[in-house]
Amino acid sequence: MTSSTETPSRRELNKAATRQSIVIAAMRLAHDRGLGGFTVEDVADAAGVSRRTFFNYFSSAEEAIAAPTFGFLDAALERFHDRPKGEPLLESVIQILLALADNKFIEPMAQSFLVSHGNDPATRYQLQAFDECSDKIVAAIREREGPSLDELYVHALAGSVMSCGKAALEVWLAERRGDLSPSSLDRLSELLVAAFAHLKSGFAAP
């Protein structure tokens, strides 16, 4: 991961652009045809790259579809490193979420979650994204807070954060189905913020 103080090289920017073009192509095909209605070759053609180039970035179309979820969670994690060291952990999480509760950040993840729904391979990649982020949260907490925090507390906190995020996405999907309008994305932002507010309050009765 490139830190906020480093300038990406032209090569890194080109790789990021190629990766993004593959993701966009895969998302469009999934929206138009449904997962299972196209091949890796179709994605490569739509992205203007070779089949070999596709596999330099992703192992399958389903992994490309899940990429926005990985990207959103990595962006959140990067911001975690910039939060004040003495800030309560849950407050850090909520402030990060508020910073990312913008449609331009949420829409790719929401669309990824939407088109993956009901597709087992794609869903596995979505779950992998949450699991990997949970592990990264544990590592980030350890880096920021040191080894003094109880191991169970750290893992339970990381798992709870990820579960709240998934719960918000699932409720949003049940409410809005395939709606990706600005008002629907605003609702997803509200659900994400509310889910973490419940966590912060210890799930006191609303």
Side-chain angles (χ1 to χ4, degrees):
M1 180 184 298
T2 302
S3 74
S4 57
T5 59
E6 295 176 346
T7 302
S9 67
R10 182 175 295 276
R11 182 171 182 272
E12 289 171 330
L13 291 173
N14 288 340
K15 287 178 68 176
T18 299
R19 188 177 189 276
Q20 183 64 10
S21 69
I22 293 171
V23 171
I24 290 172
M27 296 286 280
R28 286 176 178 167
L29 286 168
H31 180 268
D32 293 343
R33 305 184 192 178
L35 275 172
F38 58 93
T39 65
V40 164
E41 286 76 11
D42 292 329
V43 177
D45 288 344
V49 301
S50 68
R51 186 175 185 274
R52 179 177 180 180
T53 297
F54 176 95
F55 283 114
N56 285 339
Y57 292 88
F58 301 105
S59 64
S60 66
E62 289 81 9
E63 185 180 5
I65 291 295
T69 301
F70 283 90
F72 181 89
L73 296 176
D74 280 345
L77 191 68
E78 186 171 347
R79 290 173 184 247
F80 178 81
H81 290 288
D82 296 331
R83 298 303 305 174
K85 186 173 182 180
E87 185 177 60
L89 291 173
L90 275 178
E91 186 63 26
S92 293
V93 169
I94 291 172
Q95 291 305 315
I96 291 165
L97 181 64
L98 289 173
L100 292 176
D102 183 284
N103 288 1
K104 68 180 179 180
F105 293 116
I106 288 176
E107 182 174 7
M109 179 182 65
Q111 186 177 7
S112 173
F113 192 82
L114 172 64
V115 299
S116 298
H117 184 68
N119 181 280
D120 288 343
T123 299
R124 283 196 295 272
Y125 280 113
Q126 293 282 346
L127 293 175
Q128 180 184 339
F130 284 102
D131 287 344
E132 286 187 8
C133 191
S134 180
D135 292 340
K136 290 176 181 178
I137 289 174
V138 169
I141 291 173
R142 287 295 180 210
E143 181 180 340
R144 193 179 91 170
E145 303 294 330
S148 59
L149 285 180
D150 177 72
E151 191 72 14
L152 177 60
Y153 174 84
V154 173
H155 282 270
L157 174 60
S160 297
V161 166
M162 289 297 96
S163 292
C164 284
K166 286 189 288 185
L169 282 163
E170 288 163 0
V171 170
W172 168 77
L173 182 61
E175 285 185 359
R176 299 303 178 104
R177 303 296 178 183
D179 183 8
L180 288 170
S181 66
S183 63
S184 178
L185 295 173
D186 288 343
R187 174 57 177 160
L188 176 55
S189 295
E190 292 173 3
L191 288 167
L192 287 166
V193 172
F196 285 100
H198 286 314
L199 181 60
K200 183 179 180 181
S201 71
F203 291 96

